[in-house]
Amino acid sequence: HPAIISKEVFQKVQEEIERRAKMQGCTNETRSRHSNKYTFSGKLICGNCGSKFRRKRWGQTEKYKKYVWICVNHANNGNEACDMKAVDEEKLKAAFVGSINKAIQAKDTFIKTMIENINNVLESRREDAELQEINTRLEELKEQMLNLVRLNLRSELDSLIYDEEYQSLEQEMQELKQRKAAFDNTELIRDKALKKAEEIEKLLSSRQELLKRFDDYLFTEMVEQVRIVSLVEVEFIYKTGLVIREIL
């Protein structure tokens, strides 16, 4: 069975994926999956400092050459900035093969866990204390605005005082509605995540045999990021937010 990371880690990963998607706008949807020169480009993240990795060739001759991936922060600023060592590209590929083969062997459990995690995390978003606080305050503001209008009808408040009070309440309400909008798209996020889970399920179902070598297409379609935990350990973060840890 896949080495499933905790719900808390899954949630943090999902939030980070959403944050990055918002920052990038629609570029992830329109950009070609082949736009990066190398399969791992932009996917590898340093577990120490959060920097990306870049590819480097080691060995001067064809016989001894190999490709490694190096933390950009380490490469530019040395060990004091980040002591993460270079990671062998072939070991990364082998680790993904191991990861995806676990998913193929336990595809039913893999898909079930993905869907459960999606539902659990989004359910927790609905019950988020901040959202409850926003809703409570919005109801209070509505009542205050109604009371202000009633008071004005009865007492004919000074127009400047009335406008100032009303605008103050309205401004706070608009700010809260903007914050609430981040929670109101929960169903949209869920549908998108479930759609991706279905795509992954189809990919896995079409695989009757274990993967024998690295598959660029499978990796690109299924993996959001790879967190380099150490020289000997990585975490594959799938596009549904599921995390599987592998030994290099």
Side-chain angles (χ1 to χ4, degrees):
H1 297 289
I4 306 299
I5 305 301
S6 69
K7 175 184 171 183
E8 288 75 15
V9 173
F10 169 87
Q11 185 166 358
K12 289 180 181 179
V13 169
Q14 191 69 26
E15 289 172 354
E16 175 62 15
I17 290 171
E18 291 171 18
R19 184 186 70 80
R20 291 174 64 246
K22 289 177 182 177
M23 290 177 62
Q24 295 174 357
C26 299
T27 55
N28 285 343
E29 297 295 330
T30 57
R31 183 183 301 151
S32 168
R33 68 173 60 99
H34 302 296
S35 61
N36 288 325
K37 186 175 181 180
Y38 307 110
T39 305
F40 291 124
S41 294
K43 297 265 191 179
L44 306 185
I45 303 297
C46 180
N48 279 353
C49 67
S51 299
K52 292 187 177 182
F53 279 62
R54 67 171 176 240
R55 195 175 192 244
K56 183 178 178 63
R57 171 175 167 164
W58 279 3
Q60 298 299 316
T61 64
E62 286 298 312
K63 182 178 180 180
Y64 295 104
K65 79 170 181 179
K66 71 174 181 178
Y67 293 98
V68 298
W69 289 81
I70 300 175
C71 169
V72 171
N73 188 21
H74 170 79
N76 292 341
N77 304 307
N79 281 333
E80 291 186 2
C82 180
D83 62 358
M84 181 63 73
K85 306 300 181 185
V87 181
D88 190 303
E89 183 173 89
E90 294 306 314
K91 289 184 178 180
L92 284 171
K93 291 180 178 180
F96 173 70
V97 171
S99 171
I100 200 65
N101 280 341
K102 286 179 181 178
I104 293 172
Q105 287 177 312
K107 63 181 69 173
D108 291 340
T109 301
F110 185 86
I111 297 299
K112 180 181 177 182
T113 303
M114 278 199 298
I115 294 174
E116 286 178 352
N117 280 345
I118 291 168
N119 289 328
N120 287 340
V121 170
L122 294 176
E123 187 62 34
S124 70
R125 287 170 64 94
R126 294 191 189 96
E127 299 172 358
D128 191 283
E130 182 184 355
L131 177 59
Q132 293 179 14
E133 182 181 329
I134 290 172
N135 286 330
T136 300
R137 182 56 181 158
L138 281 172
E139 291 303 315
E140 291 173 353
L141 289 170
K142 288 178 185 177
E143 188 64 27
Q144 289 177 27
M145 291 177 80
L146 285 173
N147 289 337
L148 181 63
V149 171
R150 293 190 189 107
L151 180 61
N152 185 51
L153 289 173
R154 290 197 306 266
S155 307
E156 294 186 358
L157 297 174
D158 182 280
S159 60
L160 290 177
I161 295 175
Y162 174 79
D163 289 342
E164 183 178 343
E165 288 296 321
Y166 192 93
Q167 288 173 10
S168 176
L169 293 171
E170 187 176 41
Q171 181 178 349
E172 184 179 354
M173 183 176 286
Q174 290 302 319
E175 289 172 354
L176 287 172
K177 284 181 178 180
Q178 289 177 4
R179 287 170 58 191
K180 187 175 184 293
F183 295 92
D184 286 344
N185 64 359
T186 295
E187 288 304 319
L188 180 62
I189 294 171
R190 177 180 181 274
D191 290 344
K192 186 175 181 180
L194 289 176
K195 183 179 179 180
K196 178 54 66 176
E198 290 174 2
E199 291 173 0
I200 289 177
E201 181 178 17
K202 289 178 182 178
L203 283 172
L204 293 179
S205 298
S206 66
R207 298 271 170 174
Q208 302 303 320
E209 299 180 355
L210 296 181
L211 203 64
K212 295 181 180 179
R213 61 180 64 85
F214 182 76
D215 188 312
D216 293 66
Y217 177 76
L218 267 183
F219 177 83
T220 302
E221 287 297 302
M222 297 183 68
V223 176
E224 176 73 23
Q225 281 187 351
V226 182
R227 183 184 296 111
I228 310 299
V229 179
S230 70
L231 188 61
V232 295
E233 196 170 34
V234 295
E235 290 175 352
F236 291 94
I237 303 166
Y238 285 82
K239 289 186 176 180
T240 54
L242 195 65
V243 181
I244 297 183
R245 183 168 292 188
E246 281 291 330
I247 302 299
L248 288 173

Coordinates of all heavy atoms in Angstrom, one line a residue, residues 43-124:
K43 N 9.5 21.1 -11.1 CA 8.7 20.2 -10.3 C 9.4 19.9 -8.9 O 8.8 19.6 -7.9 CB 8.5 18.9 -11.0 CG 7.7 19.0 -12.2 CD 6.2 18.7 -12.0 CE 5.4 18.5 -13.2 NZ 4.0 18.2 -13.0
L44 N 10.7 20.0 -8.9 CA 11.5 19.6 -7.7 C 11.6 20.8 -6.8 O 12.1 21.9 -7.1 CB 12.9 19.1 -8.1 CG 13.0 18.0 -9.2 CD1 14.4 17.5 -9.4 CD2 12.1 16.8 -8.8
I45 N 11.3 20.5 -5.5 CA 11.3 21.5 -4.5 C 12.2 21.1 -3.3 O 12.1 19.9 -2.9 CB 9.9 21.8 -4.0 CG1 9.0 22.3 -5.1 CG2 9.9 22.9 -2.9 CD1 9.4 23.5 -5.8
C46 N 13.1 21.9 -2.9 CA 14.0 21.6 -1.8 C 13.2 21.5 -0.4 O 12.5 22.4 -0.1 CB 15.1 22.6 -1.6 SG 16.3 22.3 -0.3
G47 N 13.4 20.4 0.2 CA 12.7 20.2 1.5 C 13.4 21.0 2.6 O 12.8 21.2 3.7
N48 N 14.6 21.5 2.4 CA 15.3 22.3 3.4 C 14.8 23.8 3.3 O 14.5 24.4 4.3 CB 16.8 22.3 3.2 CG 17.4 21.0 3.8 OD1 16.7 20.3 4.5 ND2 18.6 20.8 3.6
C49 N 14.9 24.4 2.1 CA 14.7 25.8 2.0 C 13.6 26.2 1.1 O 13.2 27.4 1.0 CB 16.0 26.5 1.5 SG 16.4 26.0 -0.2
G50 N 13.0 25.3 0.4 CA 11.8 25.6 -0.5 C 12.2 26.0 -1.9 O 11.3 26.3 -2.7
S51 N 13.5 26.1 -2.2 CA 13.9 26.5 -3.5 C 13.7 25.4 -4.6 O 13.6 24.3 -4.2 CB 15.4 26.9 -3.5 OG 15.7 28.0 -2.6
K52 N 13.7 25.8 -5.8 CA 13.6 24.9 -6.9 C 15.0 24.3 -7.2 O 16.0 24.7 -6.7 CB 13.0 25.5 -8.2 CG 11.6 25.9 -8.0 CD 11.0 26.4 -9.3 CE 9.5 26.8 -9.1 NZ 8.8 27.2 -10.4
F53 N 15.0 23.3 -8.1 CA 16.2 22.6 -8.5 C 16.5 22.9 -9.9 O 15.5 23.1 -10.7 CB 16.1 21.1 -8.3 CG 16.3 20.6 -6.8 CD1 15.5 21.1 -5.8 CD2 17.4 19.8 -6.5 CE1 15.7 20.7 -4.5 CE2 17.6 19.4 -5.2 CZ 16.8 19.8 -4.2
R54 N 17.8 22.8 -10.3 CA 18.1 22.9 -11.7 C 19.0 21.7 -12.1 O 19.7 21.2 -11.3 CB 18.8 24.2 -12.0 CG 20.1 24.5 -11.4 CD 20.7 25.8 -12.0 NE 22.0 26.1 -11.4 CZ 22.3 27.2 -10.8 NH1 21.3 28.1 -10.6 NH2 23.5 27.5 -10.3
R55 N 19.0 21.4 -13.4 CA 19.7 20.2 -13.9 C 21.2 20.6 -14.2 O 21.5 21.7 -14.6 CB 19.0 19.8 -15.1 CG 19.4 18.4 -15.6 CD 18.6 18.0 -16.8 NE 18.6 16.6 -17.2 CZ 19.1 16.2 -18.3 NH1 19.6 17.0 -19.2 NH2 19.1 14.9 -18.6
K56 N 22.0 19.6 -13.9 CA 23.5 19.9 -14.1 C 24.1 18.5 -14.6 O 23.8 17.5 -14.1 CB 24.2 20.4 -12.8 CG 25.7 20.7 -13.0 CD 26.2 21.2 -11.7 CE 27.7 21.5 -11.9 NZ 28.0 22.6 -12.9
R57 N 25.0 18.6 -15.5 CA 25.7 17.4 -16.0 C 27.0 17.3 -15.2 O 27.7 18.2 -14.9 CB 26.1 17.6 -17.4 CG 27.0 16.5 -17.9 CD 27.2 16.5 -19.4 NE 28.3 15.6 -19.8 CZ 28.6 15.3 -21.0 NH1 27.8 15.7 -22.0 NH2 29.6 14.5 -21.3
W58 N 27.3 16.0 -14.7 CA 28.5 15.7 -14.1 C 29.3 14.7 -15.0 O 28.7 13.9 -15.6 CB 28.3 15.0 -12.7 CG 28.0 16.0 -11.6 CD1 27.8 17.3 -11.7 CD2 27.7 15.7 -10.3 NE1 27.5 17.9 -10.5 CE2 27.5 16.9 -9.6 CE3 27.7 14.5 -9.5 CZ2 27.2 17.0 -8.2 CZ3 27.4 14.5 -8.2 CH2 27.1 15.8 -7.5
G59 N 30.6 14.9 -15.0 CA 31.4 14.0 -15.9 C 31.7 14.6 -17.2 O 30.8 15.0 -17.9
Q60 N 33.0 14.6 -17.6 CA 33.4 15.3 -18.8 C 33.2 14.4 -20.1 O 33.0 14.9 -21.2 CB 34.8 15.7 -18.7 CG 35.1 16.7 -17.6 CD 34.3 18.0 -17.8 OE1 34.2 18.5 -19.0 NE2 33.6 18.5 -16.8
T61 N 33.3 13.1 -19.9 CA 33.2 12.2 -21.0 C 31.8 11.5 -21.1 O 31.1 11.4 -20.0 CB 34.3 11.1 -21.0 OG1 34.1 10.3 -19.8 CG2 35.7 11.8 -20.9
E62 N 31.5 10.9 -22.2 CA 30.2 10.2 -22.4 C 30.1 9.0 -21.5 O 29.1 8.7 -20.9 CB 30.0 9.8 -23.8 CG 29.6 10.9 -24.8 CD 28.3 11.6 -24.4 OE1 27.3 10.8 -24.2 OE2 28.3 12.8 -24.4
K63 N 31.3 8.4 -21.3 CA 31.3 7.2 -20.4 C 30.9 7.4 -19.0 O 30.3 6.6 -18.4 CB 32.7 6.5 -20.5 CG 32.8 5.2 -19.7 CD 34.2 4.6 -19.9 CE 34.3 3.3 -19.1 NZ 35.7 2.7 -19.3
Y64 N 31.4 8.6 -18.5 CA 31.2 8.8 -17.1 C 30.1 9.9 -16.8 O 29.9 10.3 -15.6 CB 32.5 9.3 -16.4 CG 33.6 8.2 -16.5 CD1 34.6 8.3 -17.4 CD2 33.5 7.1 -15.6 CE1 35.6 7.3 -17.4 CE2 34.4 6.1 -15.6 CZ 35.5 6.2 -16.5 OH 36.4 5.2 -16.6
K65 N 29.5 10.4 -17.8 CA 28.5 11.5 -17.6 C 27.3 11.0 -16.9 O 26.8 9.8 -17.0 CB 28.1 12.1 -18.9 CG 27.1 11.4 -19.7 CD 26.6 12.2 -20.9 CE 25.5 11.4 -21.6 NZ 24.9 12.2 -22.7
K66 N 26.7 11.9 -16.1 CA 25.4 11.6 -15.5 C 24.8 13.0 -15.2 O 25.5 14.0 -15.1 CB 25.4 10.8 -14.2 CG 26.0 11.4 -13.0 CD 25.9 10.5 -11.8 CE 26.5 11.1 -10.5 NZ 26.3 10.2 -9.4
Y67 N 23.5 13.0 -15.0 CA 22.8 14.3 -14.7 C 22.2 14.2 -13.3 O 21.7 13.2 -12.8 CB 21.6 14.5 -15.7 CG 22.1 14.7 -17.1 CD1 22.2 13.7 -18.1 CD2 22.6 16.0 -17.5 CE1 22.7 13.9 -19.3 CE2 23.1 16.2 -18.8 CZ 23.1 15.2 -19.7 OH 23.6 15.4 -21.0
V68 N 22.4 15.4 -12.7 CA 21.9 15.5 -11.3 C 21.1 16.8 -11.2 O 21.1 17.6 -12.1 CB 23.1 15.6 -10.3 CG1 23.9 14.3 -10.3 CG2 24.0 16.8 -10.5
W69 N 20.3 16.9 -10.1 CA 19.5 18.1 -9.9 C 20.0 18.7 -8.6 O 20.1 18.1 -7.6 CB 18.0 17.7 -9.8 CG 17.5 17.4 -11.2 CD1 17.6 16.2 -11.8 CD2 16.8 18.2 -12.1 NE1 17.0 16.2 -13.1 CE2 16.5 17.5 -13.3 CE3 16.4 19.6 -12.0 CZ2 15.9 18.0 -14.3 CZ3 15.7 20.1 -13.1 CH2 15.4 19.3 -14.3
I70 N 20.2 20.1 -8.7 CA 20.8 20.8 -7.5 C 19.9 21.9 -7.1 O 19.3 22.6 -7.9 CB 22.2 21.4 -8.0 CG1 23.1 20.2 -8.4 CG2 22.8 22.2 -6.8 CD1 24.5 20.7 -8.9
C71 N 19.8 22.0 -5.8 CA 19.0 23.1 -5.2 C 19.6 24.5 -5.6 O 20.8 24.7 -5.5 CB 19.0 23.0 -3.7 SG 18.4 24.5 -2.8
V72 N 18.8 25.3 -6.2 CA 19.3 26.6 -6.7 C 19.9 27.5 -5.6 O 21.0 28.1 -5.8 CB 18.2 27.4 -7.4 CG1 18.6 28.8 -7.8 CG2 17.7 26.7 -8.7
N73 N 19.3 27.4 -4.4 CA 19.8 28.2 -3.3 C 21.2 27.7 -2.9 O 22.1 28.5 -2.6 CB 18.9 28.1 -2.1 CG 19.2 29.0 -1.0 OD1 20.0 30.0 -1.1 ND2 18.7 28.7 0.2
H74 N 21.4 26.4 -2.8 CA 22.7 25.8 -2.5 C 23.7 26.1 -3.5 O 24.8 26.5 -3.2 CB 22.5 24.3 -2.4 CG 23.8 23.5 -2.3 ND1 24.5 23.4 -1.1 CD2 24.5 22.8 -3.2 CE1 25.6 22.7 -1.3 NE2 25.7 22.4 -2.6
A75 N 23.3 26.0 -4.8 CA 24.3 26.2 -5.9 C 24.7 27.7 -5.9 O 25.9 28.0 -6.2 CB 23.6 25.9 -7.2
N76 N 23.8 28.6 -5.6 CA 24.2 30.0 -5.7 C 24.8 30.6 -4.4 O 25.7 31.5 -4.5 CB 22.9 30.8 -6.0 CG 22.4 30.6 -7.4 OD1 23.1 30.1 -8.3 ND2 21.1 30.9 -7.6
N77 N 24.4 30.0 -3.3 CA 24.9 30.6 -2.0 C 25.6 29.7 -1.1 O 26.0 30.1 0.0 CB 23.6 31.2 -1.3 CG 22.8 32.1 -2.2 OD1 23.4 33.1 -2.7 ND2 21.5 31.9 -2.3
G78 N 25.8 28.4 -1.5 CA 26.6 27.5 -0.7 C 25.9 26.8 0.4 O 24.7 27.0 0.7
N79 N 26.7 26.1 1.2 CA 26.2 25.2 2.3 C 25.5 26.0 3.4 O 24.6 25.5 4.1 CB 27.3 24.3 2.9 CG 27.5 23.1 2.0 OD1 26.7 22.7 1.3 ND2 28.7 22.6 2.1
E80 N 26.0 27.2 3.6 CA 25.5 28.0 4.7 C 24.0 28.4 4.4 O 23.2 28.5 5.4 CB 26.3 29.3 4.9 CG 27.7 29.0 5.5 CD 28.4 30.3 5.8 OE1 27.8 31.4 5.6 OE2 29.6 30.2 6.2
A81 N 23.7 28.6 3.2 CA 22.3 28.9 2.8 C 21.4 27.7 2.8 O 20.3 27.7 3.3 CB 22.3 29.6 1.5
C82 N 22.0 26.6 2.3 CA 21.2 25.3 2.2 C 22.2 24.2 2.0 O 23.1 24.3 1.0 CB 20.2 25.3 1.1 SG 19.2 23.8 1.0
D83 N 22.2 23.2 2.8 CA 23.2 22.1 2.7 C 22.6 20.9 2.0 O 23.2 19.8 2.1 CB 23.7 21.7 4.1 CG 22.6 21.1 5.0 OD1 21.4 21.1 4.5 OD2 22.8 20.7 6.1
M84 N 21.5 21.1 1.2 CA 21.0 19.9 0.4 C 22.0 19.5 -0.7 O 22.5 20.3 -1.4 CB 19.6 20.4 -0.2 CG 19.0 19.3 -1.0 SD 18.5 17.8 -0.1 CE 17.1 18.5 0.8
K85 N 22.2 18.2 -0.8 CA 23.1 17.7 -1.8 C 22.4 17.4 -3.1 O 21.2 17.4 -3.2 CB 23.7 16.4 -1.3 CG 24.4 16.5 0.1 CD 25.5 17.5 0.1 CE 26.2 17.5 1.5 NZ 27.2 18.6 1.5
A86 N 23.2 17.3 -4.1 CA 22.7 17.0 -5.5 C 22.0 15.6 -5.5 O 22.4 14.7 -4.8 CB 23.8 17.0 -6.5
V87 N 20.9 15.5 -6.3 CA 20.2 14.3 -6.4 C 20.3 13.7 -7.8 O 20.1 14.4 -8.8 CB 18.7 14.6 -6.1 CG1 17.9 13.3 -6.2 CG2 18.5 15.2 -4.7
D88 N 20.6 12.5 -7.9 CA 20.8 11.8 -9.2 C 19.5 11.7 -9.9 O 18.5 11.2 -9.4 CB 21.4 10.4 -8.9 CG 21.8 9.7 -10.2 OD1 21.0 9.6 -11.1 OD2 23.0 9.3 -10.3
E89 N 19.5 12.1 -11.2 CA 18.2 12.0 -12.0 C 17.7 10.6 -12.2 O 16.5 10.4 -12.1 CB 18.5 12.7 -13.4 CG 17.3 12.7 -14.3 CD 17.6 13.5 -15.6 OE1 18.0 12.9 -16.6 OE2 17.4 14.7 -15.5
E90 N 18.6 9.7 -12.4 CA 18.1 8.3 -12.6 C 17.5 7.7 -11.3 O 16.5 6.9 -11.4 CB 19.3 7.4 -13.0 CG 19.8 7.8 -14.4 CD 18.7 7.7 -15.5 OE1 17.9 6.8 -15.5 OE2 18.7 8.7 -16.3
K91 N 18.0 8.2 -10.2 CA 17.4 7.7 -8.9 C 16.0 8.3 -8.7 O 15.1 7.7 -8.2 CB 18.3 8.1 -7.7 CG 19.6 7.2 -7.6 CD 20.4 7.6 -6.4 CE 21.6 6.7 -6.3 NZ 22.4 7.0 -5.1
L92 N 15.9 9.5 -9.2 CA 14.5 10.2 -9.1 C 13.5 9.4 -10.0 O 12.4 9.2 -9.6 CB 14.6 11.6 -9.6 CG 15.2 12.6 -8.6 CD1 15.4 14.0 -9.3 CD2 14.3 12.8 -7.4
K93 N 14.0 9.1 -11.2 CA 13.1 8.3 -12.1 C 12.7 7.0 -11.5 O 11.6 6.5 -11.5 CB 13.8 8.1 -13.4 CG 14.0 9.4 -14.2 CD 14.7 9.1 -15.6 CE 14.8 10.4 -16.4 NZ 15.4 10.2 -17.7
A94 N 13.7 6.3 -10.9 CA 13.5 5.0 -10.3 C 12.5 5.1 -9.1 O 11.6 4.2 -8.9 CB 14.8 4.3 -9.8
A95 N 12.6 6.2 -8.3 CA 11.7 6.4 -7.2 C 10.3 6.6 -7.7 O 9.4 6.1 -7.0 CB 12.2 7.6 -6.4
F96 N 10.1 7.3 -8.8 CA 8.8 7.5 -9.3 C 8.2 6.2 -9.8 O 7.0 5.9 -9.6 CB 8.8 8.5 -10.5 CG 7.4 8.6 -11.1 CD1 6.3 9.1 -10.5 CD2 7.2 8.0 -12.4 CE1 5.1 9.2 -11.1 CE2 6.0 8.1 -13.0 CZ 4.9 8.7 -12.4
V97 N 9.0 5.4 -10.4 CA 8.6 4.0 -10.9 C 8.1 3.3 -9.7 O 7.0 2.6 -9.7 CB 9.7 3.3 -11.6 CG1 9.3 1.8 -11.8 CG2 10.0 4.0 -12.9
G98 N 8.8 3.3 -8.6 CA 8.4 2.6 -7.3 C 7.1 3.2 -6.8 O 6.2 2.4 -6.4
S99 N 7.0 4.5 -6.8 CA 5.8 5.1 -6.3 C 4.6 4.8 -7.2 O 3.5 4.4 -6.6 CB 6.0 6.7 -6.4 OG 4.8 7.3 -6.1
I100 N 4.7 4.9 -8.5 CA 3.5 4.6 -9.3 C 3.2 3.1 -9.3 O 2.0 2.7 -9.4 CB 3.8 5.1 -10.8 CG1 2.4 5.3 -11.5 CG2 4.7 4.2 -11.5 CD1 1.5 6.3 -10.9
N101 N 4.1 2.2 -9.1 CA 3.9 0.8 -9.1 C 3.1 0.5 -7.8 O 2.2 -0.4 -7.8 CB 5.2 0.0 -9.1 CG 5.6 -0.1 -10.6 OD1 4.9 0.0 -11.5 ND2 6.9 -0.5 -10.7
K102 N 3.3 1.2 -6.7 CA 2.5 1.0 -5.5 C 1.1 1.3 -5.8 O 0.2 0.7 -5.3 CB 3.1 1.8 -4.4 CG 4.4 1.4 -3.8 CD 4.8 2.3 -2.7 CE 6.2 1.8 -2.1 NZ 6.7 2.8 -1.0
A103 N 0.9 2.4 -6.5 CA -0.4 2.9 -6.9 C -1.1 1.9 -7.8 O -2.3 1.6 -7.6 CB -0.4 4.2 -7.5
I104 N -0.4 1.3 -8.8 CA -1.0 0.3 -9.7 C -1.4 -1.0 -8.9 O -2.4 -1.5 -9.1 CB 0.0 0.0 -10.8 CG1 0.2 1.2 -11.7 CG2 -0.4 -1.2 -11.6 CD1 1.4 1.1 -12.7
Q105 N -0.5 -1.4 -8.0 CA -0.8 -2.6 -7.2 C -2.0 -2.5 -6.3 O -2.7 -3.4 -6.0 CB 0.5 -3.0 -6.4 CG 1.6 -3.6 -7.3 CD 2.8 -3.9 -6.4 OE1 3.3 -3.1 -5.6 NE2 3.4 -5.1 -6.6
A106 N -2.1 -1.3 -5.8 CA -3.2 -1.0 -4.8 C -4.1 0.1 -5.4 O -4.5 1.0 -4.7 CB -2.7 -0.7 -3.5
K107 N -4.5 0.0 -6.7 CA -5.2 1.1 -7.3 C -6.5 1.4 -6.6 O -6.9 2.6 -6.5 CB -5.4 0.8 -8.8 CG -6.2 -0.4 -9.1 CD -6.3 -0.6 -10.6 CE -5.0 -1.0 -11.2 NZ -5.0 -1.4 -12.6
D108 N -7.2 0.4 -6.2 CA -8.5 0.7 -5.6 C -8.4 1.4 -4.3 O -9.1 2.4 -4.0 CB -9.3 -0.7 -5.3 CG -9.7 -1.4 -6.5 OD1 -9.8 -0.7 -7.6 OD2 -9.9 -2.6 -6.5
T109 N -7.4 1.0 -3.5 CA -7.1 1.7 -2.2 C -6.6 3.1 -2.5 O -6.9 4.1 -1.8 CB -6.1 0.9 -1.4 OG1 -6.6 -0.4 -1.1 CG2 -5.8 1.7 -0.1
F110 N -5.7 3.2 -3.5 CA -5.1 4.5 -3.9 C -6.2 5.5 -4.2 O -6.2 6.6 -3.7 CB -4.2 4.3 -5.0 CG -3.4 5.5 -5.5 CD1 -2.2 5.8 -4.8 CD2 -3.8 6.3 -6.5 CE1 -1.4 6.8 -5.2 CE2 -3.1 7.4 -6.9 CZ -1.9 7.7 -6.3
I111 N -7.1 5.1 -5.1 CA -8.2 6.0 -5.6 C -9.1 6.4 -4.4 O -9.5 7.5 -4.2 CB -9.0 5.4 -6.7 CG1 -8.0 5.2 -7.9 CG2 -10.1 6.3 -7.1 CD1 -7.4 6.5 -8.5
K112 N -9.5 5.3 -3.6 CA -10.4 5.5 -2.5 C -9.8 6.5 -1.5 O -10.5 7.4 -1.0 CB -10.7 4.2 -1.8 CG -11.6 4.3 -0.6 CD -11.8 3.0 0.1 CE -12.7 3.1 1.3 NZ -12.9 1.8 2.0
T113 N -8.5 6.4 -1.2 CA -7.8 7.3 -0.3 C -7.8 8.7 -0.8 O -8.0 9.7 -0.1 CB -6.4 6.8 0.0 OG1 -6.5 5.4 0.5 CG2 -5.7 7.7 1.1
M114 N -7.5 8.8 -2.1 CA -7.5 10.2 -2.7 C -8.8 10.9 -2.6 O -8.9 12.0 -2.1 CB -7.1 10.1 -4.2 CG -5.7 10.0 -4.5 SD -5.3 10.4 -6.2 CE -6.2 9.2 -7.1
I115 N -9.9 10.2 -2.9 CA -11.3 10.8 -2.8 C -11.6 11.1 -1.3 O -12.2 12.1 -1.1 CB -12.3 9.8 -3.4 CG1 -12.0 9.7 -4.9 CG2 -13.7 10.3 -3.2 CD1 -12.8 8.7 -5.7
E116 N -11.3 10.2 -0.4 CA -11.6 10.4 1.0 C -10.8 11.6 1.5 O -11.4 12.5 2.2 CB -11.2 9.2 1.8 CG -12.1 8.0 1.7 CD -11.7 6.8 2.5 OE1 -10.5 6.8 3.0 OE2 -12.5 5.9 2.6
N117 N -9.6 11.8 1.1 CA -8.8 12.9 1.5 C -9.3 14.2 0.9 O -9.4 15.2 1.6 CB -7.3 12.8 1.1 CG -6.5 11.9 2.0 OD1 -6.9 11.6 3.1 ND2 -5.4 11.4 1.5
I118 N -9.8 14.2 -0.3 CA -10.4 15.4 -0.9 C -11.6 15.8 -0.2 O -11.8 17.0 0.2 CB -10.7 15.1 -2.4 CG1 -9.5 14.9 -3.3 CG2 -11.6 16.2 -3.0 CD1 -9.7 14.4 -4.6
N119 N -12.5 14.8 0.1 CA -13.7 15.1 0.9 C -13.4 15.6 2.3 O -14.1 16.5 2.8 CB -14.6 13.9 0.9 CG -15.2 13.6 -0.5 OD1 -15.5 14.6 -1.3 ND2 -15.5 12.4 -0.8
N120 N -12.5 14.9 3.0 CA -12.2 15.3 4.3 C -11.6 16.7 4.5 O -12.0 17.5 5.3 CB -11.2 14.3 4.9 CG -11.8 12.9 5.2 OD1 -13.0 12.8 5.3 ND2 -11.0 11.9 5.3
V121 N -10.7 17.0 3.6 CA -10.1 18.4 3.6 C -11.1 19.4 3.3 O -11.2 20.5 4.0 CB -8.9 18.4 2.7 CG1 -8.4 19.9 2.6 CG2 -7.8 17.6 3.2
L122 N -11.9 19.2 2.3 CA -12.9 20.2 1.9 C -14.0 20.3 2.9 O -14.6 21.4 3.1 CB -13.5 19.9 0.5 CG -12.4 20.0 -0.6 CD1 -13.0 19.6 -1.9 CD2 -11.9 21.4 -0.7
E123 N -14.3 19.2 3.6 CA -15.3 19.3 4.7 C -14.8 20.2 5.8 O -15.5 20.9 6.4 CB -15.7 17.9 5.2 CG -16.8 17.9 6.2 CD -18.1 18.4 5.6 OE1 -18.3 18.1 4.4 OE2 -18.9 19.0 6.4
S124 N -13.5 20.0 6.1 CA -12.9 20.8 7.2 C -12.9 22.3 6.8 O -13.0 23.2 7.6 CB -11.5 20.3 7.5 OG -10.6 20.7 6.4

